[in-house]
Amino acid sequence: MQKFFFQCIILLMNKKLYVISGSSGVGKGTVLKGFLQRNPQFMLSISCTTRKPRPGEVDSVNYFFLSPEEFKDCIEKDKFLEWAEFAGNFYGTKKKYINQCLEEGKDIILEIDTKGALQVKKRMPEAVLIFICPPSYEALENRLRGRHTEDEQTIQKRLNEAKIELERAENFDYKIVNDDLEKAIIELENVIKKERDNA
Ligand code: 5GP
């Protein structure tokens, strides 16, 4: 029923849901930021997480920061369109939030991990899955270490996840290699334009 409801809204409004995933440190946030600056009609979904805010991150802007208890309560009440555990923390997209955005006629982009992306595809086959790849595993490791936001243990967890994410990306609709920021942004624009033209 829920699935049907979401599909109806999307069909009625001729909107597509774009799901972007990529290994931690691949620069998907930067690619997306560039895309959104040039295409302000798109809206980036705000996820819920149990991860602690990084310096500069603001509640309800970067994430809805929840306690593990609050997150568990949302799972039990079936409030998430998808959710996943990633590197020791929980992340999820609220159905209500996506619903509101679609009702407001917005094109939405979800920036979530590959487990979550595949759950979305199962519930909404018309969702477009796009994976941002690193030029190489070594490049990814260098970027992850270079941003100095995680301790060694977290970096190791994220590197392990990155290997698994690359495997899951085989089931995505598109892959974009981020070895040149400008090229990656243009490629993302082309993919989304193509999908909108086909809608
Ligand atoms: P970070 O902690 O670096 O902000 O995010 C870690 C990972 O969680 C990233 O791969 C990011 O895409 C993913 N993520 C963020 N929000 C969500 C969400 O709502 N659901 C899922 N499944 N993953 C998410």
Side-chain angles (χ1 to χ4, degrees), residues 19-184:
V19 183
I20 316 257
S21 297
S23 318
S24 191
V26 74
K28 61 183 179 299
T30 316
V31 174
L32 259 177
K33 199 168 151 204
F35 173 85
L36 291 167
Q37 270 167 0
R38 295 176 199 181
N39 301 276
Q41 73 275 26
F42 284 87
M43 214 193 130
L44 186 62
S45 161
I46 303 175
S47 298
C48 300
T49 184
T50 59
R51 169 169 77 60
K52 295 275 169 286
R54 294 188 184 124
E57 284 186 331
V58 178
D59 187 44
S60 309
V61 175
N62 303 94
Y63 279 105
F64 298 110
F65 292 100
L66 303 185
S67 67
E69 294 72 30
E70 286 170 321
F71 199 96
K72 199 168 157 236
D73 188 57
C74 290
I75 296 174
E76 280 166 7
K77 294 188 174 141
D78 193 27
K79 289 192 177 172
F80 290 123
L81 169 63
E82 62 71 37
W83 66 271
E85 188 180 353
F86 182 92
N89 291 299
F90 289 93
Y91 297 82
T93 310
K94 282 249 183 96
K95 287 178 192 169
K96 194 171 162 193
Y97 177 78
I98 297 296
N99 227 350
Q100 266 170 7
C101 296
L102 289 171
E103 276 170 0
E104 286 165 19
K106 290 171 176 152
D107 284 293
I108 312 176
I109 298 187
L110 265 57
E111 194 233 295
I112 62 178
D113 85 324
T114 48
K115 288 191 288 294
L118 295 175
Q119 285 176 51
V120 172
K121 189 75 175 178
K122 226 177 188 175
R123 288 192 162 186
M124 303 160 88
E126 68 283 6
V128 182
L129 304 195
I130 304 162
F131 189 80
I132 314 273
C133 311
S136 67
Y137 185 76
E138 290 70 33
L140 183 72
E141 184 167 357
N142 289 340
R143 281 190 206 176
L144 205 47
R145 291 189 187 286
R147 66 185 194 185
H148 303 296
T149 50
E150 277 86 16
D151 58 26
E152 183 57 30
Q153 197 189 1
T154 309
I155 288 173
Q156 286 306 330
K157 271 192 197 168
R158 285 178 180 245
L159 286 172
N160 286 339
E161 290 278 354
K163 281 187 190 146
I164 303 168
E165 299 238 288
L166 282 170
E167 284 166 19
R168 283 201 207 103
E170 291 308 314
N171 299 309
F172 275 50
D173 299 305
Y174 297 94
K175 281 193 218 158
I176 295 174
V177 179
N178 184 22
D179 54 355
D180 177 291
L181 179 62
E182 181 61 21
K183 257 169 54 192

